[in-house]
Amino acid sequence: MDTLAPLKSSNQILGVTRDTPPDDVARAYVRMAVRFHPARAVADDDRHAIRARFVELAEAWASLADGAVAKRDGDTPEA
């Protein structure tokens, strides 16, 4: 039987808490995106894993950025 990895929230992926200010969330994303950018992969074996991690980070950032913009503008994010 295959076991599924537990789902991570966008906050967990970026290493921030729900209380983290939007500017700090943006800094965390940039820091992680630079670290896991596919162009930085040295070995071809690592390239696939790093690309997957980079996509995961980008999706997490998109999710959190939408919420931050909605909070700033006084709207609620769509579910």
Side-chain angles (χ1 to χ4, degrees):
M1 179 172 140
D2 293 333
T3 58
L4 296 174
L7 296 176
K8 290 184 178 180
S9 71
S10 297
N11 292 331
Q12 290 173 323
I13 292 169
L14 293 176
V16 297
T17 65
R18 294 184 71 145
D19 307 4
T20 304
D23 290 343
D24 290 343
V25 173
R27 281 189 212 99
Y29 166 70
V30 170
R31 185 173 46 250
M32 298 287 279
V34 168
R35 180 176 174 194
F36 290 102
H37 196 281
R40 295 192 60 165
V42 179
D44 286 336
D45 297 339
D46 296 338
R47 200 170 301 273
H48 179 70
I50 289 176
R51 184 181 309 262
R53 178 74 167 141
F54 186 76
V55 168
E56 181 182 49
L57 289 167
E59 290 172 353
W61 166 246
S63 172
L64 291 176
D66 286 345
V69 170
K71 279 184 187 176
R72 185 189 67 211
D73 293 342
D75 299 334
T76 56
E78 296 178 7

